[in-house]
Amino acid sequence: MGRDAAYEVHEIPDLTLECGATLRPARIAYQTYGELNADRSNAIVYPTWYSGRHWENEWLIGEGMALDPGRWFVIVPNMLGNGLSSSPSNTPPPWDRARFPRIDVRDNVAAQHRLVTEVFGIETLRLVLGWSMGAGQTYQWAVSHPEMVQRMLPFCGSPRTAPHNKVFLDSLRAALTASVGFDDGWYPPDDWPVGGLRAFARIYAGWGFSQAFYWNEVWRELGHTSLEDFAVGFWEGFFLDDRDPNNLLTMLDTWWRGDVGRTPGFSSTEEALGSIRAKAIVMPAEKDLYFPPEDEEWAVSHMRDAELRVIPGVWGHFAGGGANPVDTEFIDAAVRDLLDR
């Protein structure tokens, strides 16, 4: 459908967040693909990722693919803070811009649960899956609502943000907030701190793909003609594509504090992972610098019914981004395997 397609919005009159603030209302933007069957047994939730919008999940949805709208009802909810759901950029005063409240992964899942149950009357989910922060939401869904989630497939993501990952996120925050014109987040809505966004993108460029990706100049497969052409055209272009700095900082904070072990009722991440009932395929990428396979091997060791399936190759974190047909086929095959179990 793409970015120009209409989408739906579910308004929750009062959503009290983990930080104690209440969004009045909370707006959850979403898109659906396919039709919900009579017994509501074919529903799948596929949350968005850091700065992603629903149309940027569509690469894994389509006729003949595992997520075939002819068979499944796929709900893609947009994360709080992404610019479509309630965000700094679209919330009126007094909670606008730099005053927008802190969002937890659990807040996203709570809002999505309201969407799934209140709008569609769904009681069980055949599958929850997602890339990157979408994977973090997938883990949280399985911990918060084990009675609903039958299957889960987190790819290139984790149940807990690792210390090394936090170092990366802190560097992004520092680059953006130090930018000329940032003004503690009170920059004019039509005058973003572009220098900070470009610096933000340059930091990201060293993490999103692997060392081998750069060594082998695989960026040429994306149509770029030099390293600088790739850094500007892909990375700077990515973050200058209508991604508001306050929105980026809100989602960054959500990512930084991600940990299913902080769910009420659990004393540790290990205990929370052990509570998951869903059948799982956990899919890290071989050379992901954020979420390396050994981290997810640790997660799988604490889950009841989980398989570790590593995405091979040099694309690093972006093995899960839909840019490489080989990786897309590998992920699609795993989704099909899990749905058939």
Side-chain angles (χ1 to χ4, degrees):
M1 292 185 178
R3 68 187 301 163
D4 296 327
Y7 56 87
E8 303 295 326
V9 175
H10 178 49
E11 284 202 353
I12 301 169
D14 300 276
L15 180 67
T16 299
L17 306 169
E18 295 290 332
C19 69
T22 299
L23 291 174
R24 302 179 181 90
R27 303 176 74 253
I28 305 302
Y30 66 96
Q31 183 60 276
T32 63
Y33 307 81
E35 300 292 334
L36 186 62
N37 61 16
D39 62 2
R40 299 182 175 88
S41 64
N42 69 333
I44 292 170
V45 171
Y46 180 18
T48 58
W49 35 274
Y50 182 74
S51 85
R53 290 73 62 104
H54 57 270
W55 62 84
E56 290 164 316
N57 276 14
E58 291 179 351
W59 60 272
L60 197 56
I61 303 169
E63 183 179 356
M65 302 187 74
L67 299 183
D68 189 332
R71 181 180 182 189
W72 303 108
F73 181 62
V74 183
I75 305 167
V76 180
N78 289 271
M79 281 180 57
L80 294 166
N82 84 334
L84 298 178
S85 293
S86 291
S87 304
S89 63
N90 63 18
T91 297
W95 292 107
D96 61 321
R97 296 187 286 171
R99 188 63 76 191
F100 191 76
R102 174 174 284 180
I103 301 295
D104 194 278
V105 177
R106 296 193 303 282
D107 297 323
N108 278 290
V109 171
Q112 293 165 21
H113 181 263
R114 296 279 298 270
L115 166 67
V116 166
T117 56
E118 293 174 0
V119 176
F120 300 109
I122 293 167
E123 297 180 355
T124 60
L125 294 169
R126 181 77 173 189
L127 172 68
V128 181
L129 76 163
W131 175 48
S132 194
M133 282 189 78
Q137 292 167 81
T138 297
Y139 277 110
Q140 189 64 58
W141 256 105
V143 170
S144 294
H145 301 287
E147 75 290 349
M148 285 187 70
V149 181
Q150 299 175 337
R151 292 163 183 79
M152 58 181 289
L153 198 155
F155 53 101
C156 305
S158 68
R160 181 177 71 191
T161 302
H164 189 231
N165 203 334
K166 290 182 177 182
V167 171
F168 158 70
L169 295 173
D170 287 341
S171 68
L172 291 176
R173 184 188 293 109
L176 197 51
T177 58
S179 176
V180 172
F182 180 73
D183 193 22
D184 293 326
W186 294 106
Y187 51 86
D190 59 351
D191 188 15
W192 293 357
V194 174
L197 283 168
R198 290 185 184 275
F200 189 101
R202 289 297 181 127
I203 294 170
Y204 235 105
W207 286 75
F209 295 93
S210 74
Q211 295 96 331
F213 176 93
Y214 285 104
W215 179 268
N216 295 320
E217 297 187 353
V218 182
W219 38 263
R220 293 187 185 277
E221 295 181 19
L222 295 173
H224 295 281
T225 52
S226 68
L227 191 59
E228 182 68 4
D229 184 64
F230 178 61
V232 175
F234 182 91
W235 283 110
E236 293 189 20
F238 186 94
F239 285 106
L240 292 171
D241 182 21
D242 201 28
R243 286 171 163 89
D244 181 280
N246 279 323
N247 293 351
L248 291 174
L249 290 171
T250 290
M251 292 179 287
L252 185 152
D253 187 66
T254 304
W255 181 352
W256 197 98
R257 292 178 303 105
D259 182 358
V260 295
R262 296 174 56 243
T263 306
F266 298 104
S267 60
S268 68
T269 309
E270 294 90 335
E271 184 183 358
L273 289 169
S275 74
I276 293 173
R277 302 179 197 171
K279 298 176 182 178
I281 297 179
V282 175
M283 298 189 72
E286 180 182 354
K287 294 183 180 295
D288 194 329
L289 300 180
Y290 307 122
F291 309 105
E294 55 267 33
D295 288 7
E296 300 323 295
E297 183 179 5
W298 172 85
V300 165
S301 73
H302 295 287
M303 298 167 69
R304 301 182 192 182
D305 188 5
E307 171 194 345
L308 184 75
R309 191 178 297 190
V310 178
I311 305 168
V314 303
W315 283 67
H317 189 59
F318 267 75
N324 175 14
V326 174
D327 292 337
T328 296
E329 184 177 346
F330 190 87
I331 295 165
D332 182 65
V335 176
R336 191 180 308 277
D337 286 352
L338 189 57
L339 284 171
D340 288 343
R341 292 182 184 178

